[in-house]
Amino acid sequence: MKFSGVRSLTLVSVAVAAVVLAACGKKDAASDATVIKIGHVGPVSGAIAHLGKDNENGARMAIEELNAAGLKIGDKAVKFELLAEDDAADPKQGTAAAQKLVDAKVNGVIGHLNSGTTIPASQIYNTAGIPQISPSATNPKYTRQGYTGAFRVVADDVHLGGTLGKYAVETLKGKNIAVIDDRTAYGQGVAEEFKKGATAAGGTIVGHEFTTDKASDFNSILTTLKAKKPDVVFFGGMDAVAGPMLRQMKSLGIEAKFLGGDGICTSELAKLAGDAMKDESVFCAEAGGVEGEQKAGMDKFRTDFKAKFNADVQVYAPYVYDAVKVMATAMVTAGSADPAKYLPALKAINYKGVTGNIAFDEKGDIKNGALTLYTYKGGERSQLAVVR
């Protein structure tokens, strides 16, 4: 009986200790550090889960490095905690994920990956007063809603689509140009900007067809476009759709050059397209890019990333990584992780990252954003040029 009483007392003590620890809220019991919650949202399920996981891994790498550095904000030791959510590239799931992070009282958010999820989620973060940095959403609308806490670290579709349109006509000598988009905020946006750029450069848009981001059969729209004899086909959408589309273009005998934005500009595209991708037949642009002495930092990041996750960088992991570091730097500068207090420091940031120099204009867009043009050779991406 005496033994049982001691055991009961021990159990009560453990229970009380658990309550006390829970009551500490933002304190990390192991280190007595203040916990700072950084939210990340991307599609880690569904057809482009490889891209979402790439982004999430970039965030995890940054968080681990921040914690290893033993940062202080003000005079307080801090521990960064990543709260990762899946939006499956679906706007409804994206807003649900956003609300979940708001309810968890995150100090800031990195994401989302897609424009179609980033834009509706941004309203929720704005209402809650939580800063958001997108590492990859390129639709111009995102930073044109008047939200003071919305930022992005890559160039937008006006730059990306327009540059590709000009490239299609002036460099690839495209005259009859067909356009397909997946009707998402990203796909439609980049396709429209591509059309403007191509038309301004003297190209002729011979047709514009539509699909969805979940489609797998394109024979109808491709047959329609084949009759118009295009020498360039531009697709506004993601690699999960572009791969099968390239296979069906080959089976229909369409020999046109294939162009797309950052959504197709992945190492995975060659696997998805298989033998339908001839050397120098597919061209794309990634929003972002480094050159010269900055290239060494990016090369090191890619090597470290591969060693850590046993996976190559798909597209935007380094931009997520930099976005996390930028947000943390703003907090350190402000001496506070309170969104209202570090937001002015975030607006004024001037940060040298692995993706280049990061500073924001009055809308929250990156200043002097770069683009990197690629083609594919031997199933691998091959860089053509970095343009601004």
Side-chain angles (χ1 to χ4, degrees):
M1 292 293 291
K2 188 176 181 180
F3 176 80
S4 298
V6 172
R7 185 170 182 269
S8 297
L9 183 60
T10 302
L11 291 173
V12 170
S13 299
V14 170
V16 170
V19 171
V20 171
L21 287 174
C24 288
K26 291 191 175 182
K27 288 288 186 179
D28 175 45
S31 63
D32 200 37
T34 298
V35 175
I36 297 174
K37 299 176 181 178
I38 303 294
H40 176 270
V41 189
V44 292
S45 64
I48 56 171
H50 56 290
L51 300 180
K53 196 62 182 177
D54 184 58
N55 278 21
E56 187 178 302
N57 283 342
R60 292 192 184 283
M61 193 165 169
I63 292 289
E64 289 182 14
E65 289 182 11
L66 289 171
N67 287 333
L71 290 183
K72 287 189 175 182
I73 294 180
D75 59 352
K76 297 178 181 178
V78 297
K79 178 182 178 182
F80 290 88
E81 179 183 347
L82 184 68
L83 274 62
E85 295 291 336
D86 175 23
D87 65 16
D90 177 74
K92 288 183 179 179
Q93 192 164 325
T95 53
Q99 189 59 55
K100 187 173 180 180
L101 291 178
V102 169
D103 292 343
K105 296 182 170 25
V106 294
N107 299 86
V109 173
I110 308 301
H112 301 204
L113 187 152
N114 308 77
S115 294
T117 54
T118 301
I119 293 170
S122 66
Q123 182 178 0
I124 295 171
Y125 301 130
N126 178 67
T127 299
I130 297 173
Q132 173 191 12
I133 305 176
S134 176
S136 50
T138 55
N139 189 296
K141 181 182 176 182
Y142 167 55
T143 52
R144 286 160 174 75
Q145 301 174 96
Y147 297 161
T148 59
F151 303 88
R152 73 171 122 225
V153 292
V154 292
D156 68 14
D157 287 338
V158 174
H159 190 188
L160 193 149
T163 298
L164 282 170
K166 182 179 179 182
Y167 187 83
V169 175
E170 295 184 357
T171 303
L172 299 182
K173 306 303 179 185
K175 295 180 180 178
N176 297 325
I177 300 169
V179 176
I180 305 169
D181 79 63
D182 67 1
R183 296 282 86 182
T184 64
Y186 162 70
Q188 184 175 1
V190 73
E192 291 299 331
E193 295 300 333
F194 171 85
K195 285 169 63 176
K196 292 176 187 177
T199 301
T204 300
I205 306 299
V206 296
H208 189 164
E209 297 292 328
F210 311 103
T211 184
T212 74
D213 59 345
K214 296 176 178 61
S216 58
D217 184 356
F218 315 102
N219 277 290
S220 178
I221 60 174
L222 289 175
T223 299
T224 298
L225 292 176
K226 181 182 179 181
K228 299 177 181 180
K229 299 180 179 179
D231 40 38
V232 169
V233 173
F234 178 86
F235 173 58
M238 307 300 287
D239 61 358
V241 174
M245 187 178 291
L246 281 163
R247 291 176 183 268
Q248 289 170 42
M249 283 176 61
K250 180 184 178 183
S251 68
L252 289 171
I254 299 175
E255 298 287 342
K257 301 287 189 185
F258 189 83
L259 273 74
D262 49 338
I264 77 163
C265 213
T266 68
S267 57
E268 193 74 9
L269 180 64
K271 300 175 188 176
L272 294 165
D275 62 0
M277 184 187 289
K278 296 180 181 178
D279 286 357
E280 298 185 38
S281 65
V282 176
F283 299 83
C284 61
E286 176 183 306
V290 294
E291 54 192 339
E293 62 183 26
Q294 293 180 329
K295 194 171 181 298
M298 178 66 85
D299 289 344
K300 182 180 184 304
F301 175 86
R302 291 179 181 278
T303 299
D304 292 347
F305 187 92
K306 179 68 177 283
K308 186 172 186 60
F309 299 110
N310 193 30
D312 291 322
V313 170
Q314 288 289 332
V315 186
Y316 287 120
Y319 297 90
V320 178
Y321 173 88
D322 271 357
V324 173
K325 294 288 188 78
V326 162
M327 187 169 279
T329 299
M331 292 175 181
V332 172
T333 301
S336 175
D338 181 336
K341 293 180 180 178
Y342 80 78
L343 180 59
L346 187 55
K347 287 178 175 291
I349 202 82
N350 195 331
Y351 179 84
K352 185 176 181 180
V354 297
T355 62
N357 196 68
I358 297 172
F360 301 113
D361 66 16
E362 66 283 354
K363 296 190 300 294
D365 285 323
I366 191 167
K367 292 180 179 178
N368 198 30
L371 295 176
T372 306
L373 296 172
Y374 291 93
T375 188
Y376 287 80
K377 297 178 182 178
E380 301 287 337
R381 284 198 322 174
S382 176
Q383 184 173 316
L384 294 169
V386 174
V387 296
R388 293 185 184 274

